[in-house]
Amino acid sequence: MGQLTTAEKEAMKEEAGIAACSFVKSGMKIGIGTGSTVKYTILELGRRIREEGLQISGIPTSKSTEELSIEQGIPMINWEKCDHLDLVIDGADEFDPDLHLIKGGGGALLREKIVAESSGAMIVVADASKKVDTLGNFPLPIEVNPYGWEQTKRRIEQLCPGSVNRRGANYLTDNGNPILDAEFGPTISNPVQLEAKLRSISGVVEVGLFTNTADVVVMAAKDGCELIRKENARI
């Protein structure tokens, strides 16, 4: 695709973030993801609320998303009064030909997965650089319990061909948990199996593999947006 300038990358993110909003209709309850591309989705939804009378409500996947959503006039709801979302719009760090994802580079993977699994469909916004043949070049985020995280790390290392590193000595997610970044390299040819193995380790709270979750990827490239739809997409 050639080297892109920062401005070109940002323009692509904006285009994808806005294009994803075409799936949002009045009356929907939506999950609102986290990241630099979803930021443009939130801004566009805010514009549609103000200028077009769009009526929606949302559950955010992070504190930063919640703050921007409220600023844009998107009504927030909580799980006490909501047991199902119509769809979620979120970003991804990588996606493969089967639309399996690596997510969690921003540290919101647990909340993102709760929202994704509670949604009727998942729209992913990403630029073309996130499309890969095999997952794993992006370090796999794994959220772990603070208690005994060192031992949890050792058990993850038994499955990971590369290094496993704690993300910052004092870094904690919105849930108060550390993140371990596992350097698998582009070796994750069976993400469903790997996700199950990692989740079976005591101390692992959540894994940044989102398998059989995404329905559509709105992929931005230099020549415009492309919709990549799973064969059995729910939307």
Side-chain angles (χ1 to χ4, degrees), residues 103-116:
K103 288 177 51 55
L109 62 157
L110 173 58
R111 296 189 184 195
E112 288 173 340
K113 191 163 282 190
I114 290 171
V115 168

Side-chain angles (χ1 to χ4, degrees), residues 34 59-62 79 88 90 103-118 141-146 167 171 173-179 195 199 203-210:
T34 297
I59 288 184
T61 58
S62 67
W79 291 115
V88 57
D90 209 344
K103 288 177 51 55
L109 62 157
L110 173 58
R111 296 189 184 195
E112 288 173 340
K113 191 163 282 190
I114 290 171
V115 168
E117 291 182 354
S118 303
I142 304 170
E143 188 166 346
V144 298
N145 193 284
R167 186 185 298 178
Y171 178 88
T173 68
D174 285 350
N175 315 302
N177 297 318
I179 292 275
E195 180 183 15
R199 291 182 78 173
V204 169
V205 175
E206 193 50 84
V207 179
L209 285 168
F210 285 58

Side-chain angles (χ1 to χ4, degrees), residues 96-171:
D96 71 9
D98 295 317
L99 302 195
H100 299 312
L101 317 171
I102 284 181
K103 288 177 51 55
L109 62 157
L110 173 58
R111 296 189 184 195
E112 288 173 340
K113 191 163 282 190
I114 290 171
V115 168
E117 291 182 354
S118 303
S119 299
M122 183 178 190
I123 313 300
V124 174
V125 289
D127 63 70
S129 68
K130 308 297 175 61
K131 183 180 181 181
V132 297
D133 292 326
T134 306
L135 297 175
N137 193 55
F138 189 92
L140 177 63
I142 304 170
E143 188 166 346
V144 298
N145 193 284
Y147 176 80
W149 70 267
E150 299 91 343
Q151 185 63 7
T152 305
K153 175 176 176 289
R154 294 183 188 103
R155 295 192 62 194
I156 293 170
E157 286 171 339
Q158 294 173 9
L159 297 175
C160 183
S163 62
V164 179
N165 304 296
R166 177 166 176 167
R167 186 185 298 178
N170 299 311
Y171 178 88

